[in-house]
Amino acid sequence: MAEQPDVAALVAFYNQINHYGRTNGLQLTVQAPGRVTYTMKVREDHLSSPGTCHGGVVAGLMDAVLGAAALTQAFVEQELVSTVEFKMNFLHPVRLHDELVATARVEHHGKSLVVVDGTIECPARQLTVARGLGTFNRYPASKRDFIQALTGQLGAEPDAPQTA
């Protein structure tokens, strides 16, 4: 029987190389492969008008949570994912200082595609502010420098440019 990958170690490594998440104050929690939560507090640099968060920030959080759910499921099979498409519905405006909780879970894990469902909530205001659905392509982790960087075989920073 093949040795199972250490999903927790892969997630920890992903958090190290995820500049987008760090820059935007995202905190990832993995309940299980394919089920994740991101939390984020809306800051002034997230605003598009006085007191209102830019829709791109909310969309970025949705893409991040959908992708993280797909990625943690893919890690189980030593695979990675890339976004094919995602859609979302903005249900309520997001305000300065809102604490957002984004959750996602894998709904379908097929041979080549993963489908993930997600929501973003503002618990303090008891609102679901957005819903989303994403489709992701599965591919072997060996096709990218991810595994080599994880094992220290690249000799460069994990986010160094890839070579053909």
Side-chain angles (χ1 to χ4, degrees):
M1 186 167 174
E3 182 180 330
Q4 290 294 314
D6 183 351
V7 173
L10 292 169
V11 169
F13 180 70
Y14 174 72
N15 283 334
Q16 288 178 5
I17 64 171
N18 183 4
H19 298 289
Y20 180 82
R22 274 196 316 279
T23 300
N24 286 287
L26 304 182
Q27 299 294 318
L28 177 64
T29 303
V30 179
Q31 287 83 29
R35 288 188 44 226
V36 303
T37 300
Y38 260 124
T39 58
M40 181 186 112
K41 184 171 184 173
V42 178
R43 307 181 309 228
E44 282 202 33
D45 60 336
H46 293 142
L47 303 181
S48 61
S49 62
T52 305
C53 184
H54 190 283
V57 173
V58 180
L61 176 58
M62 183 63 76
D63 186 38
V65 75
L66 295 172
L71 186 62
T72 58
Q73 181 68 49
F75 280 163
V76 171
E77 298 179 31
Q78 298 182 347
E79 293 181 328
L80 298 175
V81 295
S82 59
T83 306
V84 173
E85 64 85 29
F86 82 95
K87 74 162 295 283
M88 64 181 287
N89 300 109
F90 295 93
L91 304 174
H92 294 281
V94 174
R95 306 284 184 211
L96 178 63
H97 304 302
D98 277 351
E99 302 254 355
L100 302 177
V101 177
T103 58
R105 71 180 187 151
V106 170
E107 296 291 332
H108 171 76
H109 190 252
K111 184 176 178 180
S112 60
L113 297 177
V114 179
V115 178
V116 184
D117 180 53
T119 61
I120 300 175
E121 299 190 5
C122 180
R125 295 195 293 142
Q126 299 180 340
L127 290 174
T128 298
V129 297
R131 293 193 183 276
L133 185 68
T135 304
F136 299 83
N137 182 50
R138 297 172 49 178
Y139 59 91
S142 59
K143 286 191 172 184
R144 295 288 185 263
D145 293 341
F146 186 88
I147 296 300
Q148 292 87 351
L150 176 63
T151 60
Q153 296 175 9
L154 282 180
E157 287 190 39
D159 59 351
Q162 297 180 13
T163 57

